[in-house]
Amino acid sequence: MVMKTISRLYFWLTGWRLEGRLSPDIKKCIMVAAPHTSNYDFGYSRAALYMMGCNVRYLAKKELLNSPLGFFFRATGAIGVERDSSQNMVSRLVEMFNQHEKLVIMLAPEGSRKLKGRWKTGFYHAALQAKVPIVLASLDYKKKVANVGPVFHPTGNYQQDMVLVKEFYRDVSPRYPEKFVLDIC
């Protein structure tokens, strides 16, 4: 309750608003958080999720959890990831979904705030294998809107499913547009 109140105050003070909600019927899902171009993305995303009353886990680089602020990131739901090693994250996510009755995992398929080129596809494969829906969410800095958008179940036809994803993110304005590429197919 306290975090929800603080989050509402944060949004009000910064002029942001929340559009859309995660349906209470969705017990498990992967939430795609894009674009991810700034450190500010974490604050607005986490605040929006507190406002929705959504208990979420999110992927973060392992170094954050080993830093002096590691307790903060773990308390807010961080799951440590070694970005430079192959640790079969898809299998790890599927196993997490299999072990929980209720689980929302938020991740940024860009993998970094830096311009990398193509999105990582693990979010899609993890959702497909775990048989959970994908929820699209965005932060639009021009409109100052945190948006929870469409929900879809991956069909196994990646190219076809990504048409919806591209359409949703096409007009979203990131904090640093030069760092965002919608190259997902």
Side-chain angles (χ1 to χ4, degrees):
M1 186 65 173
V2 171
M3 292 309 294
K4 189 179 227 179
T5 302
I6 291 169
S7 298
R8 285 183 177 159
L9 179 63
Y10 178 52
F11 265 50
W12 179 75
L13 288 172
T14 59
W16 277 68
R17 70 182 188 282
L18 174 62
E19 290 184 359
R21 296 264 189 247
L22 184 62
S23 169
D25 297 337
I26 297 175
K27 303 296 183 211
K28 298 180 184 184
C29 70
I30 288 182
M31 183 176 285
V32 172
H36 181 39
T37 65
S38 165
N39 284 331
Y40 286 96
D41 298 344
F42 173 78
Y44 287 116
S45 296
R46 198 61 191 97
L49 291 161
Y50 280 129
M51 289 165 57
M52 289 187 288
C54 182
N55 186 17
V56 69
R57 303 291 310 270
Y58 62 92
L59 301 186
K61 60 184 175 182
K62 194 172 185 176
E63 294 83 5
L64 288 176
L65 279 69
N66 295 330
S67 75
L69 290 176
F71 71 94
F72 168 77
F73 292 108
R74 282 188 292 281
T76 58
I79 301 167
V81 175
E82 288 186 42
R83 296 186 301 172
D84 295 332
S85 76
S86 175
Q87 53 179 281
N88 204 352
M89 198 64 207
V90 169
S91 295
R92 188 172 164 200
L93 293 174
V94 171
E95 183 61 30
M96 288 176 73
F97 281 115
N98 289 339
Q99 293 174 353
H100 293 87
E101 291 289 319
K102 194 172 182 184
L103 182 63
V104 175
I105 297 178
M106 179 176 66
L107 55 83
E110 297 157 275
S112 171
R113 292 179 315 277
K114 298 178 180 119
L115 182 62
K116 293 277 188 174
R118 298 194 80 170
W119 281 23
K120 296 180 180 190
T121 60
F123 75 96
Y124 183 86
H125 298 292
L128 185 65
Q129 289 178 31
K131 296 178 177 62
V132 299
I134 295 172
V135 177
L136 303 180
S138 67
L139 294 173
D140 191 313
Y141 282 83
K142 186 183 231 178
K143 297 175 185 172
K144 291 189 170 187
V145 170
N147 186 17
V148 177
V151 176
F152 72 96
H153 288 269
T155 65
N157 184 335
Y158 181 79
Q159 301 294 329
Q160 179 183 321
D161 290 343
M162 290 305 104
V163 171
L164 171 70
V165 176
K166 278 187 168 185
E167 182 60 29
F168 177 73
Y169 289 109
R170 185 172 45 94
D171 295 324
V172 174
S173 299
R175 183 167 177 89
Y176 298 111
E178 69 278 5
K179 293 182 178 181
F180 182 60
V181 173
L182 195 53
D183 187 2
I184 55 181
C185 293

